[in-house]
């Protein structure tokens, strides 16, 4: 890296460092997260400034910071969503019943009961939640693809799917409890 670019980076850090850190701190829960995001912003700035000139450096830095904050929130909400499965739910899985190769009268009966309950629970969902769940789980569309289809932002779509999953879990928990009793 040339000394001219080094001095440009140093001047940019001096000029925008405090304001950028303050901007990030107001939008995240901990100072450690804010510092991590700021480091990511500076890393991206160093990579880009070597490749191409940035016309409005301040606007670019704050936009990158905002995007990093959003990415961090999405990542945490996805982790919370996947961590929300309890140990009880992990020990019993409908997959074990549904994916069994041997078709006994008992497993066939349980499959029929499961699918009836599952589709009844799906019908109870609000249309937006049901549609996002079906697109994402059954049709394999990504949240980005669904966002393009609906015009909604991905955070809204993730939230809708989360509520749908919680409802389905609660409804199917009743069925699971009945099966475990017998």
């Amino acid at each position: 890296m040339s000394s001219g670019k080094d001095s440009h980076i140093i001047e940019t850090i001096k000029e925008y460092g405090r304001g950028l850190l303050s901007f990030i701190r107001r939008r995240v829960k901990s100072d450690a997260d804010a510092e991590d995001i700021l480091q990511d912003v500076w890393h991206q700035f160093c990579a880009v400034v070597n490749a191409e000139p940035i016309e409005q450096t301040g606007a670019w830095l704050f936009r990158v910071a905002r995007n990093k904050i959003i990415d961090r929130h999405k990542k945490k909400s996805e982790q919370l969503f996947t961590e929300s499965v309890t140990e009880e739910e992990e020990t019993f899985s409908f997959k074990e019943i549904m994916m069994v190769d041997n078709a006994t009268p008992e497993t066939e009966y349980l499959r029929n009961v499961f699918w009836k309950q599952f589709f009844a629970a799906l019908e109870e969902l609000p249309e937006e939640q049901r549609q996002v769940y079906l697109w994402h789980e059954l049709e394999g569309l990504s949240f980005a693809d669904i966002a393009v289809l609906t015009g909604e932002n991905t955070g809204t779509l993730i939230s809708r799917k989360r509520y749908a999953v919680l409802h389905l879990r609660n409804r199917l928990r009743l069925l699971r409890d009945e099966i475990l009793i017998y």
Side-chain angles (χ1 to χ4, degrees):
M1 189 160 48
S2 69
S3 65
K5 289 197 180 200
D6 282 345
S7 64
H8 175 65
I9 291 171
I10 292 169
E11 289 301 315
T12 302
I13 290 172
K14 285 180 183 177
E15 185 176 348
Y16 294 103
R18 285 189 183 150
L20 200 54
L21 183 58
S22 176
F23 173 82
I24 296 167
R25 276 188 178 146
R26 288 191 306 265
R27 289 160 177 78
V28 296
K29 291 185 179 182
S30 72
D31 286 345
D33 284 346
E35 290 169 4
D36 287 346
I37 291 170
L38 183 62
Q39 183 178 2
D40 290 345
V41 170
W42 291 131
H43 178 66
Q44 188 169 341
F45 175 72
C46 290
V48 170
V49 80
N50 288 329
E52 59 188 71
I54 300 172
E55 288 183 29
Q56 296 181 339
T57 304
W60 186 91
L61 289 168
F62 282 91
R63 184 183 43 161
V64 169
R66 186 176 53 245
N67 291 343
K68 299 278 184 195
I69 292 166
I70 291 168
D71 290 346
R72 171 93 31 140
H73 285 298
K74 285 181 187 176
K75 184 177 179 183
K76 283 191 178 187
S77 67
E78 288 173 3
Q79 286 174 344
L80 290 174
F81 180 68
T82 57
E83 292 170 0
S84 67
V85 176
T86 65
E87 288 180 26
E88 174 184 302
E89 291 169 329
E90 288 177 358
T91 59
F92 177 82
S93 171
F94 278 110
K95 286 182 182 179
E96 293 172 6
I97 295 171
M98 304 306 291
M99 300 301 182
V100 176
D101 288 336
N102 61 341
T104 65
E106 183 180 63
T107 58
E108 287 302 313
Y109 172 76
L110 289 175
R111 284 182 186 135
N112 288 335
V113 170
F114 170 82
W115 287 115
K116 284 181 185 175
Q117 291 294 317
F118 178 77
F119 286 116
L122 268 178
E123 288 301 316
E124 294 170 355
L125 292 170
E127 177 62 28
E128 295 89 5
Q129 290 177 14
R130 180 175 51 248
Q131 194 59 57
V132 169
Y133 180 85
L134 292 172
W135 279 332
H136 191 256
E137 287 298 317
L138 300 181
E139 295 182 24
L141 294 176
S142 69
F143 286 115
D145 293 337
I146 299 169
V148 169
L149 286 172
T150 62
E152 299 283 347
N153 71 38
T154 55
T156 300
L157 298 171
I158 291 170
S159 178
R160 287 179 182 165
K161 182 183 174 197
R162 179 179 180 276
Y163 287 120
V165 168
L166 291 174
H167 174 74
L168 293 171
R169 276 187 191 158
N170 285 334
R171 279 293 309 275
L172 296 175
R173 182 176 293 127
L174 298 173
L175 177 62
R176 182 198 66 213
D177 292 346
E178 289 176 13
I179 291 172
L180 290 177
I181 289 172
Y182 296 109

